[in-house]
């Protein structure tokens, strides 16, 4: 699964366990390295690329495609947070996990446009702009 790295940074900077999130430069380099690792695999038939934004905008279609890729059955309950979020992490009160027990939604798409300064966006784009473009994001 991949996601706009600028939105990833918005999440990572508030997560105590993501050390790269302490600096936008450090996070952009980390995200770039992760994307490059995937891109270096080329068109591998054993890899299904799932775009976070597509999943959140049309979860049923993307989950059906994923299950088909895995040669498994789709069940509507796979979209029910009461079914998929029954574990210790999602039941914790830690704010960085608050979205995990909610229905899949698109509320976190393009959050960087409101949360980051133009300088921060420019810095991320300078470091990882080519990777953003390669996987279909505007810079």
């Amino acid at each position: 699964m991949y996601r706009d790295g600028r939105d990833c940074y918005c999440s990572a900077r508030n997560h105590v366990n993501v050390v790269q999130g302490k600096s936008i430069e450090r996070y952009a380099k980390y995200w770039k390295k992760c994307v490059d690792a995937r891109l270096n695999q080329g068109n591998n038939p054993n890899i299904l690329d799932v775009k976070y934004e597509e999943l959140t905008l049309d979860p049923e279609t993307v989950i059906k495609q994923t299950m088909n890729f895995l040669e498994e059955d789709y069940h509507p309950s796979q979209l029910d947070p009461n079914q998929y979020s029954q574990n210790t992490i999602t039941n914790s009160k830690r704010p960085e996990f608050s979205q995990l027990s909610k229905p899949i939604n698109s509320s976190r798409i393009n959050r960087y446009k409101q949360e980051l300064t133009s300088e921060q966006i420019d810095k991320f784009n300078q470091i990882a702009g080519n990777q953003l473009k390669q996987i279909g994001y505007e810079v």
Side-chain angles (χ1 to χ4, degrees), residues 4 6 8 16 20 22 26-27 35 37 47 51 56-57 68-69 71 74-75 84 106-107 113-114 116 121 135 138:
D4 186 311
R6 298 158 295 192
C8 292
V16 296
Q20 299 89 343
K22 305 298 181 247
R26 187 173 178 188
Y27 193 84
V35 171
I47 298 173
K51 190 172 186 178
T56 62
L57 291 169
N68 184 56
F69 177 81
E71 298 179 354
Y74 165 77
H75 301 281
Y84 64 69
S106 60
S107 67
K113 293 178 180 180
Q114 287 76 44
L116 301 182
I121 294 169
I135 58 175
E138 291 183 20

Side-chain angles (χ1 to χ4, degrees), residues 13 20 59 78 81 83 92 136:
R13 68 187 178 153
Q20 299 89 343
Q78 291 167 325
Q83 298 294 318
S92 79

Side-chain angles (χ1 to χ4, degrees), residues 98-109:
S98 65
Q99 295 297 310
L100 295 176
S101 60
K102 296 179 181 175
I104 298 169
N105 67 75
S106 60
S107 67
R108 301 293 198 222
I109 295 176

